[in-house]
Amino acid sequence: MKRLIEVDPLSPLNQGMPGFVEIMDGRFEAAVPRYRRVTRMDPDNQTTQLFLAWTLALNGLKDEVSE
């Protein structure tokens, strides 16, 4: 993942993949900042919004999910 980001740091997908790995490893809290960044990079992308909402929900941040 580090190499992928080094090669193409501007791709939201590349920035988001480490967050997905964090979630799959059960480290839900570690994924939040990653998906916040990805959503800021591409705020109109519904997929990034979905992953941010999912990550927030996994962390019990339900008030933020509704935003």
Side-chain angles (χ1 to χ4, degrees):
M1 303 301 344
K2 289 179 184 179
R3 179 71 178 132
L4 182 62
I5 293 170
E6 287 173 6
V7 171
D8 186 4
L10 300 179
S11 170
L13 178 62
N14 294 351
Q15 292 290 331
M17 287 309 297
F20 186 75
V21 171
E22 298 286 4
I23 289 171
M24 294 295 106
D25 284 343
R27 296 187 302 268
F28 306 134
E29 190 173 313
V32 172
R34 180 69 64 180
Y35 281 116
R36 286 187 199 278
R37 179 187 312 139
V38 170
T39 303
R40 283 193 307 269
M41 290 176 75
D42 193 3
D44 296 325
N45 185 319
Q46 293 177 347
T47 302
T48 62
Q49 293 173 11
L50 173 67
F51 273 88
L52 176 59
W54 178 45
T55 304
L56 293 171
L58 287 170
N59 282 281
L61 303 171
K62 295 182 175 138
D63 291 338
E64 292 183 60
V65 172
S66 64
E67 292 175 21

